[in-house]
Amino acid sequence: MSEADAQTSKISPARRGGRAGRLEAHVRRGVRKTSASATLNAWSLTPGDPATRTLVIACGALIAELQQVIRLNGLDHIEVTAVPADYHATPDKIPDAVAAKIRAAKQRYAHVLVGFGDCGTRGRLDEILAQEGVERIEGAHCYAFYAGLDRFAQLHDEAAGTFYLTDFLARHFDKLTLKALKLDTHPELKSDYFGNYTRVVYLAQLPTPERLARAQAVAAWFGLPLTVVETGVAGLDDWLKAADRTSADQNSAARAAK
Amino acid sequence: MADDDLDLNTLNDEELVEQMWDDLYDGLGEAIEESVEILLARGWTPYDILTKALVEGMRIVGVDFRDGILFVPEVLMSANAMKAGMAILRPLLVETGAPKVGKMVIGTVKGDIHDIGKNLVCMMMEGAGFEVIDLGINNPVDNYINTALEQNAEIIGMSALLTTTMPYMKVVIDTLKDKGIRSDFIVLVGGAPLNEAFADAIGADAYCRDAAVAVETAKSLISRRQGAMGSQ
Ligand code: B12
C-alpha cells in the first residue's frame, strides 16, 4: 500500500493511524542528536593542566557515583561526562554516542576512560574502544560491576528471575522502566514483561532510608520479595583508581621522554 | 472508543487486509479478531488469512522496529494482536492441513528470562508453516536436546539477551557434539547482544538478527538439508 492510498482510503482517521500516522509523527519528531561538543565546551572552563587531565565518559546511571568516588579520593584532575541512561532501551545508539565523545575529548584531555558495560551493544562498543585505544570498566552491565562479577553470577544463579535495582534505577524506575515500556499507559502489558520474575534484588550503592523506601516501593509494585545487597561503590572505586595509576605512569613516561 | 466508528464489514477484502496491517501496527487485538472472523465468513482459507494479513502485517512491524520507528512496547502490542488472531486460526489450520515446512524447538537459555523476541520468532515461524515447540525461558541443555530428540525436530533455536547468558549456547552445542548428534540439527541463535561472529565462534549454523531473517534462514537451511538428503 502506498502512502497516497493510505490517505485516500475511506478508513483509518478514526483509528490511531496505523503505519502512515506513525511515520508522520516520526518525521515530525526528528532524531535526537548527541551533543558531545556542547558538553565539552562546558568543561573547557575547568582549570588544570590539560596534559594530565582525564575525562570519564559514562552512562548517566553512573555519574553521581563516579563523582562521589572522585570526591572521596581527591581525584580532582578527573572529570565526568554523561551519555543518556535511556539509551539502554536502544543500545545500538551507545557506541556512536561514546565514539563522538571520545573523539572530541581527545583534543582536550590526556586520558579518556569509558564507564559503560557492554550493555547489549553486540560487541560494537568494545570494537570502537579497541580502535580508539580507550579502556572501559569490566563487566556486561552496571549490575555486574557494582555487585562484583563473581557475586553477580552467584546472585543470578540463585534465581534467574531476578530484577536488579541500583540506587539510580530505584530512583528513576518510573521513567526508565515504567514509562519506557509504556506501562504507564498500558498496564495490561505488565505480565508480558514481568510475568516470569520471582524477586527484586536491590544492589545498594549508598543506601539511605529514602532510597531503601524507593526500592521497597518498586518491589511492592512488582508484588515480589526484595533482597537488599549493599555493594557500595567499590567496583567503580577500584576501577577508577587503577586506571588513574596507569594514566599517571603514562604521564611520567611522557615527561621523561621530553 | 474511536474504533467503534469503523464498521469493518463495510470494507472490501483488499481494504480489510490493509486495515488489518494498520490494526496490527496499532496493536488492536479485538479488531484483528473481528477481521479474521469476517474473512473466514467470506470464505478465505485460514492459511491465506495467516500469511496475507497477519504475517505480512507483522513483517511491516518488524521493518519499522529495525529502523527505529517502533519500539519494544509497540512490537509487544502488535505481537499480542497477532496472537489473538492466531488463536482463532490455529485449530482451523490443523483441520485444513496447511503445509508444514519443518519442526523447531526454541527457548531462551538458562539464566535468561527475556522472551519478547523469542515469542515473536515463534509466531513468525509458525506463520511460515513451521511447527514450533516453545520451551519458554531459562532452559538448561537437557530441555533443548531431549525435546528435539523426542519431537524429531530439525531445528533447535536459542535466544539470549544477556552477555552473561550467551555463552550457554555453546554449552548446548558442545553437548550435541559430545553426543555425536550435532549434524542432526540446524542450530539457530538470536538475541540483541549476539552477532554473526559469535554464532560462528560457538559453532551455530546461523545467527538471525530478527524474526523475518529467522524464517528465511530456517527455510533455506531446511531445503538445503533436504536436497543433501535427497542426493544421498
Ligand atoms: C524489554 C527488555 C527487558 C524486559 C524483558 C521483558 C521480557 N518478557 O522479555 C525487562 C524490563 C523485564 C528486562 C529485564 C532485564 N534486562 Co533487559 N532489555 C530489554 C530490552 C530493552 C529489549 C529486549 C526486547 O524485548 N526487544 C524486542 C525484541 C523483539 O527484540 P529481540 O529480543 O532482539 O529479538 C529479536 C532478535 O534478536 C531475534 N531473536 C531473538 N531471539 C531469537 C532466537 C532465535 C532462535 C532466532 C533465530 C532469532 C532470535 O528475533 C527477535 C524478533 O525480531 C533490551 C535492550 C534492547 N533494545 O535490546 C534490554 C537488555 C537486553 N536488558 C538488559 C538487562 C541488563 C536486563 C536486566 C538484568 C535488568 C535489571 N534491571 O534487572 C533484566 C534481566 C533479568 C533476567 N533475569 O533475565 C541488557 C543486557 C546487557 C548485557 N550486555 O547483557 C539490555 C541489552 C539493556 C542494556 N542496554 O543494557 N529487560
Side-chain angles (χ1 to χ4, degrees), chain A residues 87-91 94 117-122 140-141 143 152 156 159-165 169 177 181 191-197, chain B residues 65 72 75 104 106-107 111-118 120-121 156-164 188-193 206-212 214:
Chain A
Y87 279 16
H88 276 81
T90 49
I94 294 173
D118 163 78
C119 297
T121 59
R122 304 168 195 259
H141 37 64
Y143 316 104
F152 180 81
H156 205 70
T162 303
F163 190 83
Y164 301 91
L165 292 175
L169 187 56
T177 306
L181 297 176
S191 67
D192 288 318
Y193 287 120
F194 296 115
N196 292 316
Y197 282 83
Chain B
F65 177 61
V72 176
V75 172
M104 176 187 215
I106 182 173
D112 204 326
I113 68 173
H114 287 87
D115 63 358
I116 297 172
K118 179 217 26 112
L120 201 57
V121 173
I156 295 177
M158 293 184 274
S159 183
L161 272 282
L162 298 170
T163 311
T164 43
L188 301 182
V189 296
Y207 155 76
C208 309
R209 66 158 298 162
D210 60 30

